[in-house]
Amino acid sequence: MKIKSFLAKPYASIINSRLRKGMASAVAHQQAVLQQLVKSGSRTFFGKEHDLQQVKTYEDFKKAVPIRDYESFIPYIDKIKNGEQNILWKGRPIYFAKTSGTTSGSKYIPISKESISNHINGARDALLCYMAESGKTDFANGKMIFLSGSPELERVGGIPTGRLSGIVNHFIPRYLRSNQLPSYETNCIEDWEVKLEKIVQETMHENMTLISGIPPWMQMYFEWLSERNDGKKIKEIFPALQVIVHGGVNFEPYKARLLDSLGGEVDMIETFPASEGFFAFQDQIGKEGLLLNTDSGVFYEFVPADEINNENPTRLSLAEIKTGVNYALIVSTNAGLWAYNIGDTVRFISTDPYRLVVTGRTKHYSMRSNMRPQISTCTLQSSR
């Protein structure tokens, strides 16, 4: 056994045990997170504007802070871009995660020094949990590809700005850098097809053991690899490939083609990342449901999806949710998002522990409809 996989075993066991123990305290975690957010947020421009200092309970919070979409946050984001301090969260964000909006153009989602660990540790815990549950750690010795946006960041209002995947790329641990592909220079290429060609060239003869990315990017990568290897399946090209980590978009439209492209058995880990936070990950191999990340600076609210366009929708905390109901996901975070509608819908399949599936987008619920809609399987757009 090589050193990386050897050292990973005890660390994975520790993190996994901590996660299992924390499952029983999810509601208490959420109560503590809300208290911490309100305490810190009360000293900000937003907090004073909404009198957060007087918020003592979740009921108080609902009265003080209405649900907002990105358009309602733009005036606060503009203040931050103009150099103002303590607007949504203390100080200024350390990054803006730039995403493509459907109605408001580019969105600039703040990431604070307190919230960055949510993004980093969520992805880490997903892998460590997989190691502990499966007993498989050999992939830590091989090459790993992270299909991501460019790690080169622009500055908006003096704040480093780019795709979340590019930002997170800066935080890959040093001990994994020697395993990481593609090269930094290739990762910085903006043109996706030029970049993909370079990625294929750099990886096709390597001992790839882990591939991570959003499904459409992985599908293109697999197709190009196969074309340049006489139509071989991915497991023929990378016989040591052990695990695929995917998230950011609905997997179902891509699942059949990806599995066919692989041509052999590979473990899958599904995650639920977004620019607003790393919300959940698959903690059971081969089983449905993502474990909600309840103790990482994100407070969750849930609105019955068919009420999301109502003037005064029902707002529920984690303790109040039921299985089998479609909910719009609302988050408040230690980056300064407050009762923010991220645009995704979820359904819980378990409350002990809290496991969910991502079911679609809130835009599929019409402004007037009180009927149960057909949930589309088109790409989710909240990340990424």
Side-chain angles (χ1 to χ4, degrees):
M1 183 183 294
K2 295 186 179 180
I3 187 67
K4 288 181 182 178
S5 59
F6 176 77
L7 294 176
K9 278 185 176 291
Y11 187 38
S13 179
I14 291 169
I15 295 298
N16 189 52
S17 296
R18 186 183 302 164
L19 287 169
R20 302 297 161 199
K21 190 178 295 184
M23 288 177 180
S25 305
V27 170
H29 287 159
Q30 282 291 278
Q31 292 170 343
V33 167
L34 179 60
Q35 291 174 358
Q36 292 161 2
L37 293 178
V38 167
K39 181 179 179 180
S40 294
S42 64
R43 296 187 288 270
T44 66
F45 176 83
F46 182 95
K48 293 172 182 176
E49 193 177 59
H50 292 78
D51 207 13
L52 288 186
Q53 194 167 11
Q54 301 302 315
V55 171
K56 306 301 180 186
T57 66
Y58 175 50
E59 292 302 316
D60 293 341
F61 181 76
K62 288 191 287 187
K63 293 174 184 176
V65 183
I67 293 174
R68 284 179 167 84
D69 56 17
Y70 184 77
E71 284 72 19
S72 299
F73 268 100
I74 289 176
Y76 301 102
I77 299 298
D78 286 344
K79 285 179 178 291
I80 296 170
K81 289 179 181 179
N82 290 333
E84 296 186 46
Q85 301 263 350
N86 306 314
I87 300 303
L88 291 169
W89 193 250
K90 54 189 175 184
R92 302 187 76 214
I94 58 172
Y95 296 102
F96 276 134
K98 186 177 180 181
T99 73
S100 299
T102 54
T103 60
S104 59
S106 295
K107 297 182 181 181
Y108 296 87
I109 306 299
I111 297 176
S112 68
K113 63 180 180 180
E114 290 84 8
S115 73
I116 188 66
S117 61
N118 163 267
H119 297 281
I120 307 307
N121 292 347
R124 177 205 69 184
D125 290 353
L127 278 177
L128 291 174
C129 189
Y130 165 77
M131 288 180 172
E133 291 295 303
S134 69
K136 299 175 182 178
T137 59
D138 288 348
F139 72 88
N141 300 315
K143 294 294 185 179
M144 307 178 193
I145 183 167
F146 302 94
L147 297 170
S148 70
S150 172
E152 284 197 332
L153 307 177
E154 60 179 331
R155 287 191 173 265
V156 174
I159 296 171
T161 301
R163 283 190 173 273
L164 175 66
S165 57
I167 292 170
V168 169
N169 198 279
H170 290 272
F171 292 86
I172 292 174
R174 183 175 298 177
Y175 61 84
L176 288 181
R177 287 289 180 189
S178 60
N179 301 64
Q180 181 189 2
L181 289 170
S183 64
Y184 185 86
E185 292 73 21
T186 294
N187 225 5
C188 290
I189 297 172
E190 290 291 343
D191 185 291
W192 172 243
E193 293 200 356
V194 175
K195 179 175 182 173
L196 186 58
E197 180 61 42
K198 289 288 292 181
I199 291 173
V200 169
Q201 292 173 11
E202 288 185 5
T203 59
M204 62 189 293
H205 300 299
E206 295 286 353
N207 179 36
M208 303 301 302
T209 55
L210 178 147
I211 298 173
S212 174
I214 63 174
W217 288 1
M218 281 196 283
Q219 185 60 48
M220 284 188 67
Y221 173 56
F222 289 169
E223 288 173 358
W224 286 34
L225 273 170
S226 181
E227 287 173 3
R228 287 151 181 76
N229 285 273
D230 301 319
K232 289 182 179 178
K233 299 290 187 180
I234 301 306
K235 279 291 284 184
E236 295 179 87
I237 301 169
F238 302 138
L241 180 63
Q242 181 179 312
V243 60
I244 285 176
V245 182
H246 65 88
V249 304
N250 187 357
F251 186 52
E252 287 304 314
Y254 303 94
K255 184 176 180 179
R257 286 180 65 192
L258 280 171
L259 293 179
D260 180 66
S261 296
L262 287 168
E265 189 170 331
V266 178
D267 290 334
M268 299 272 187
I269 304 174
E270 183 176 358
T271 61
F272 183 12
S275 298
E276 297 86 355
F278 192 104
F279 302 131
F281 64 88
Q282 186 175 1
D283 68 310
Q284 296 179 307
I285 303 165
K287 295 183 180 180
E288 184 184 37
L290 310 182
L291 183 69
L292 189 66
N293 189 2
T294 58
D295 190 23
S296 187
V298 180
F299 178 74
Y300 304 98
E301 296 178 81
F302 306 91
V303 172
D306 56 4
E307 294 186 30
I308 191 58
N309 294 304
N310 293 358
E311 187 173 346
N312 294 297
T314 303
R315 294 167 67 175
L316 304 172
S317 67
L318 187 64
E320 301 170 288
I321 63 95
K322 296 179 180 179
T323 58
V325 179
N326 252 3
Y327 294 109
L329 183 60
I330 311 299
V331 300
S332 298
T333 76
N334 55 2
L337 298 178
W338 298 97
Y340 182 82
N341 178 8
I342 70 166
D344 287 338
T345 59
V346 301
R347 183 182 73 251
F348 281 89
I349 63 170
S350 168
T351 58
D352 184 20
Y354 288 94
R355 292 197 181 98
L356 55 79
V357 293
V358 182
T359 55
R361 297 286 292 170
T362 56
K363 68 181 181 180
H364 301 135
Y365 290 80
S366 67
M367 293 296 290
R368 296 181 181 179
S369 176
N370 289 317
M371 298 183 295
R372 186 178 182 88
Q374 296 296 316
I375 300 301
S376 169
T377 55
C378 71
T379 299
L380 303 180
Q381 298 175 355
S382 53
S383 121
R384 299 167 186 181

